[in-house]
């Protein structure tokens, strides 16, 4: 009977050690998954912040383009612009481009000006560029 009690107490202690090992393993997996989730969320936050700064830069540039005289919005004159200090600080690899296309519809001449900011993230992956299109209509010529 005494031998049976010793066997049982050793068996119970071993089962407790096994349970603790399994629990520690499960806890480690949960912590690893949580660390990956935090890393992914941080990357998405940085991307969202960069996109927000890029969109603000596009809105500011669209206002500048809208204020330009008609002749200064020609395709050969308007190709790029220097990024603002805020954009350069938030997205050091930002490339600003402008493409201009003249279009005529129903006798009305207009220019479609597409503003674009493209960049790569810290890992060198190209991100989807932020774009904004501005329409400028030719002013009426007074005789």
């Amino acid at each position: 009977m005494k031998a049976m009690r010793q066997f049982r107490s050793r068996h119970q202690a071993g089962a407790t050690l096994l349970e603790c090992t399994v629990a520690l393993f499960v806890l480690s997996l949960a912590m690893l998954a949580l660390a990956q989730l935090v890393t992914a969320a941080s990357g998405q936050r940085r991307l969202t912040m960069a996109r927000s700064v890029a969109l603000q830069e596009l809105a500011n540039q669209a206002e500048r383009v809208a204020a330009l005289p008609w002749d200064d919005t020609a395709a050969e004159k308007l190709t790029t612009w220097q990024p603002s200090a805020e954009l350069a600080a938030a997205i050091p690899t930002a490339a600003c481009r402008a493409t201009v296309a003249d279009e005529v519809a129903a006798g009305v001449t207009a220019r479609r000006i597409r503003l674009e900011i493209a960049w790569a993230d810290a890992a060198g992956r190209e991100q989807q560029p932020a774009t904004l299109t501005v329409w400028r209509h030719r002013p009426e010529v007074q005789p």
Side-chain angles (χ1 to χ4, degrees):
M1 182 102 154
K2 193 173 192 179
M4 185 76 113
R5 283 186 192 153
Q6 287 177 347
F7 176 74
R8 198 176 277 166
S9 67
R10 280 190 209 152
H11 180 67
Q12 286 177 348
T16 303
L17 181 61
L18 179 63
E19 289 170 353
C20 287
T21 304
V22 169
L24 187 61
F25 178 72
V26 169
L27 185 62
S28 298
L29 288 178
M31 288 177 61
L32 182 63
L34 184 62
Q36 288 177 342
L37 180 66
V38 168
T39 301
S42 176
Q44 285 298 316
R45 184 188 57 79
R46 280 191 302 273
L47 178 61
T48 301
M49 183 62 72
R51 184 160 298 282
S52 174
V53 171
L55 290 174
Q56 184 63 43
E57 176 77 10
L58 286 172
N60 291 340
Q61 187 61 23
E63 288 183 22
R64 287 185 207 107
V65 166
L68 288 174
W70 174 260
D71 293 335
D72 289 347
T73 61
E76 58 276 353
K77 290 188 178 181
L78 187 64
T79 57
T80 187
W81 73 92
Q82 291 299 318
S84 67
E86 293 83 14
L87 180 64
I91 311 172
T93 61
C96 304
R97 287 185 286 274
T99 54
V100 179
D102 287 335
E103 299 189 10
V104 179
V108 177
T109 303
R111 287 193 173 135
R112 181 173 38 105
I113 305 166
R114 183 175 184 261
L115 305 172
E116 177 181 285
I117 299 176
W119 71 94
D121 64 8
R125 294 182 302 251
E126 290 290 324
Q127 298 299 313
Q128 181 178 4
T131 60
L132 182 67
T133 301
V134 178
W135 287 90
R136 287 288 313 268
H137 295 279
R138 181 179 201 97
E140 295 296 323
V141 178
Q142 298 295 327

